[in-house]
Each structure stands twice: as structure tokens, then as C-alpha cells.
Amino acid sequence: MNHDELAAFVTELADDLAPTAVESGTGVGALMASAEAIADDKALLGVMVTAVRMGNIASYLLAAATARAEAVGIPVRHRLKNGRDLLRELPLAPATVNRVARLAQHLDDLPNLVREVRDGDLTVDHADAVIRGLDHIATRMGADGFTEVRDKTASTLLAHARIDQPAQVMEMARELGHELAPLDPPSTPPADNPSLNQASITRTDEGRVTLEADLDQLSGEKLHTALDALAKPIPAPDGSPDPRPRAQRTADALVSVITAYLASRNRPTVGGVVPHITMTVPLPVLVGSGGEGDSRVARLGFTGSVSAETAREIACGSTEVTALITADSVPLDAKRTQRFVTGTLRKALEARDGGCQFPGCGRPPAWCPGAGSASERAQSKQGHHIQHWADGGETNLKNTVLLCSMHHHTYVHGKGWNIQIGIDGHPWFQPPEGGEPIRCHNRRTLTLANHAAA
């Protein structure tokens, strides 16, 4: 059948199924309105089966043409690498390109599989599952061991492909891989390799957070086990079904697990502090009055600015630690008697300073261990004492400032810079040679008006 004959055949089938065929009393559409309903069903189903078979045959023809194009060097003449690149030039989805390209690579070494696709009996999706399944088993067994069982394994997967879905064919391939893999030396399948695990957490333009993870099988099993019971549908108080779709119930379950983890005290600490949600919130946000600019915005530690409604909800009912700041962005005093800056005071320092406050620096809080020996810094993320603790200086907001190691040792102690807390509640820096104090990094400005600390 040439191109014109194939086009005429397809057109005839399409016309028979068109609404106009029903109206004109011709084609399969007219038969559907006749008394012979059973015969009409059979005719329509026959057209559907024929269309599927044609699609399978077309997939084989495309794969065969791709293999032939590679053999005669067409990709090279078109400055392409291979037949897969030729397929990408066609209006095909990437997944279809990959399936057809893999079939094209196995036209000669998998004759039984290819024959069933060519005859229209097997879809390219099922054939691709067999091909990928064989590749998986080969990686488990090694090239030498797989050669001896390749034909038998291919026949087994092909038999499953005739009656099962592609996902089931791949599951059978994984089972065969476990069964055939040598015990010595042991073979680690990708599903068992935690070193391949990846996860990313990103924030969208709308402020939402998206998660993407690729986990090994055991880790995935743990995740499923942790979420399964929590994701079960919960009937409404009136007995009506849970209106949440499965995806929403799974997300709610994940949040429940995270919330329970944060509520536990037996978990890893960061610098001696048990991690909690950190929110800096100006008082005007909570009381709903006054303030402009940043003084009206609450911020979370990782995801940034948050609505006033959410800030009030966290401050009202949440057990997580928050940092409350005044309209001038100065945290409320969190006085402590111990030498090291830990816990609430450290969070208050981070809320006020946000990083190294030496003018022009601004390194993040994690870079600001402060004073003390190496062992002391390893135990706690400190802040620099303006009046040294050994000299009677208290460990509170009015006597501490965040400084990175370089500016703490080199400039403050080494070169004699003087620091004091101004009437604005923020650090001011005076050079060793004297002169007017300079605003801290977060409060720097291009104007010199009213810049002196009191």
C-alpha cells in the first residue's frame, strides 16, 4: 500500500465515523441508528481495533526508517548525531522519540518482539518495556552472564507484554533481575542505591514551595509507610466522604509528619539549638496598626515574606520559636546569664542583624561564630560581646553583635574598632582613629544626616 492508498483508506474510516455520516444515513454512523445494534457495535469496535493495529504498524515503520536513515548516513549529512536526533525534528513527544529510537536499535537482535510490533499485535509502549527490562537485567548480571539467558529472558518478558501493562512488564524485569543477579560479587540495582538519591525544595513566584525527590526503593517504602495511614480519607462530621483528592491528602500527611518531627525535642540540633520555624515579625503586623515598608512585613527564615494573617496564626497558636521585633526592627530583649549566645538570644541576634554587621560585609549568620576557642565555637554559634564577658559584659542584645570570623578577629580585636549600640537599638562602629560612628551593615545609608549614635 503506497502513501496515496493508505491516505484513502484512513479517510474512508474517518468519514464513516464523522457526524455527517449519521445525518446522511451512510457509513457506520447510519448503522448505529438501525435495528441491528449488536452488528453495529461489532463494526465500530472493529474500526477501533484496526486503528490501534495501524498505529502499531506505523510505529514499526518509523523505527525501521530511523534505523535505515542511520545506516545510510542521513543524520551525519544533516549535521546530526544519530537517528534519535532525526526523530526530534518530527512533531513527536520526547517520550515517543525515546521509545521509537530504542526500538530502532533492536530491530535485528529482537526479531520476535519486532515482528509483533510490525504485525500490529504489540504497541511500541509494551515493546519498549521489554527492551528497558532487558537492559535492567543486563546491568544486574553483567554482559557475559546475561548473554547466556538473553533469549529466554526476552521470551519471558514478551509473554508478559502480550497480557500485562508496561509497568507490570518492568516489575517482572526487576524480579528477574533480583533472581538472576550473581551473589558474588554482589550486584546493586539502581533502586537499592541511596547514593543516587536527590531532592530539591524550591519556591515558586507565587510564594508556594514545590518538592521533587528521587529516592531509592527502601527510602521510598519508608515514605509510603509514614504517609499511608495519615493520607486515608477522613469522613466529614456529617458522614459525607472526604472531599480532598488523593494528592491533597498526601500533602496534608507529609505536613503532619513534618509538624510532629518539629514538635519532638529528640532531634539533631544546629549549634546547640533545636531547629524550629523562625519568624521575625514587627509588632505592627500583629496588632494591625502603624508602620511602613519592612516594619509591616513578617518574614520566615527560609521562605521569606509572609502574609500578616499567617504571621498572626503562627504567633498565636504555633509552638515554634518566633522572634518578635519592634516597629524599628529591634528584637525584644532576650537576656541570658550564660557566656555563650544560644537559643532565643541567638535567634534574636539573627533577627536584628541578619549576618555580619561590620560595615560593608553582610555575610550570613552561619558565617558568624563569634568569640571563643575553636572547641567553644564548635559547640555553639555565638555572637560577639561588645564588652567582653570576662570583663563583666552581659550576654544580652545590648551587648552582642553578629560578626564573621574575619571581622571579629582582624578588625574588632586586631585593629581596635569600637562598637556600641545606638538609640536606634542597632550596632554602630567607630574606626580606631576615632571620628563619627558608622552605621552597621544592615542600616547603612548614603546620607550622613543624623548618623551619630547616642
Side-chain angles (χ1 to χ4, degrees):
M1 181 181 292
N2 59 33
H3 180 274
D4 293 336
E5 292 172 335
L6 178 61
F9 176 62
V10 173
T11 301
E12 182 179 351
L13 289 175
D15 289 343
D16 282 346
L17 294 173
T20 54
V22 178
E23 298 171 0
S24 63
T26 63
V28 176
L31 296 176
M32 294 174 63
S34 70
E36 300 176 358
I38 297 178
D40 298 343
D41 290 350
K42 184 177 180 180
L44 183 56
L45 292 174
V47 171
M48 295 174 66
V49 170
T50 300
V52 171
R53 293 178 66 88
M54 289 174 59
N56 297 340
I57 295 171
S59 296
Y60 164 77
L61 292 175
L62 185 57
T66 302
R68 182 59 180 167
E70 282 193 344
V72 299
I74 291 179
V76 176
R77 290 197 291 273
H78 285 259
R79 297 182 179 180
L80 299 173
K81 291 183 179 180
N82 48 38
R84 190 186 298 265
D85 287 343
L86 277 178
L87 290 171
R88 292 193 179 101
E89 299 292 321
L90 302 176
L92 297 172
T96 301
V97 169
N98 292 332
R99 286 193 287 266
V100 173
R102 281 191 287 264
L103 180 60
Q105 294 171 353
H106 294 278
L107 292 179
D108 296 329
D109 57 347
L110 293 173
N112 294 334
L113 176 72
V114 172
R115 184 183 306 111
E116 298 214 13
V117 179
R118 183 195 64 191
D119 294 343
D121 296 328
L122 197 68
T123 70
V124 69
D125 294 334
H126 288 80
D128 189 59
V130 173
I131 293 171
R132 290 186 292 113
L134 291 173
D135 289 342
H136 171 78
I137 297 172
T139 60
R140 296 296 311 279
M141 298 185 63
D144 295 337
F146 181 64
T147 302
E148 300 178 1
V149 299
R150 187 177 189 276
D151 292 341
K152 181 180 179 180
T153 305
S155 298
T156 300
L157 293 181
L158 179 56
H160 281 274
R162 295 190 185 106
I163 58 176
D164 293 332
Q165 294 299 316
Q168 294 172 297
V169 176
M170 284 301 302
E171 178 60 30
M172 173 55 64
R174 286 190 287 270
E175 291 181 9
L176 290 174
H178 293 312
E179 178 183 338
L180 299 174
L183 298 178
D184 187 21
S187 171
T188 302
D192 293 354
N193 190 351
S195 66
L196 301 179
N197 290 359
Q198 294 183 352
S200 63
I201 305 175
T202 57
R203 193 184 187 203
T204 68
D205 292 340
E206 296 296 326
R208 296 186 61 82
V209 176
T210 60
L211 311 177
E212 184 176 353
D214 179 9
L215 305 177
D216 63 274
Q217 186 172 355
L218 179 57
S219 298
E221 185 70 14
K222 292 178 180 179
L223 181 62
H224 276 295
T225 302
L227 300 182
D228 182 63
L230 295 172
K232 298 292 185 184
I234 302 176
D238 60 359
S240 59
D242 193 329
R244 300 174 299 166
R246 173 69 187 184
Q248 183 178 352
R249 298 200 310 270
T250 302
D252 291 344
L254 179 62
V255 172
S256 297
V257 171
I258 296 172
T259 302
Y261 170 78
L262 288 178
S264 172
R265 304 298 298 181
N266 298 321
R267 51 193 173 91
T269 63
V270 178
V273 180
V274 177
H276 288 88
I277 291 176
T278 299
M279 180 179 71
T280 58
V281 51
L283 284 174
V285 172
L286 298 182
V287 300
S289 64
E292 297 180 355
D294 285 344
S295 66
R296 294 297 305 274
V297 178
R299 297 182 182 278
L300 294 173
F302 286 99
T303 56
S305 60
V306 66
S307 68
E309 181 179 357
T310 300
R312 295 187 190 107
E313 178 182 350
I314 294 174
C316 177
S318 177
T319 59
E320 287 85 359
V321 174
T322 60
L324 183 64
I325 61 178
T326 68
D328 294 325
S329 298
V330 179
L332 300 182
D333 198 346
K335 185 178 296 183
R336 290 290 184 272
T337 58
Q338 72 269 24
R339 174 182 178 184
F340 298 127
V341 177
T342 59
T344 305
L345 178 55
R346 172 69 189 196
K347 290 182 178 294
L349 269 178
E350 292 181 1
R352 184 193 71 186
D353 296 348
C356 177
Q357 286 308 284
F358 192 87
C361 182
R363 287 184 172 90
W367 290 36
C368 304
S373 66
S375 60
E376 290 170 340
R377 292 197 300 272
Q379 297 173 8
S380 170
K381 289 185 176 180
Q382 307 163 47
H384 168 69
H385 285 75
I386 295 173
Q387 181 182 2
H388 200 279
W389 184 82
D391 297 331
E394 295 187 21
T395 305
N396 56 29
L397 275 175
K398 296 180 180 180
N399 193 49
T400 52
V401 60
L402 286 184
L403 293 174
C404 68
S405 296
M406 181 185 72
H407 286 114
H408 173 264
H409 294 291
T410 304
Y411 287 87
V412 176
H413 285 310
K415 295 186 178 179
W417 280 71
N418 180 46
I419 307 174
Q420 55 183 304
I421 301 297
I423 58 174
D424 60 355
H426 290 271
W428 290 73
F429 292 75
Q430 187 176 39
E433 62 274 12
E436 298 290 352
I438 303 172
R439 283 190 170 111
C440 63
H441 180 79
N442 276 356
R443 306 278 284 180
R444 64 194 186 284
T445 178
L446 296 179
T447 178
L448 296 178
N450 300 322
H451 67 287

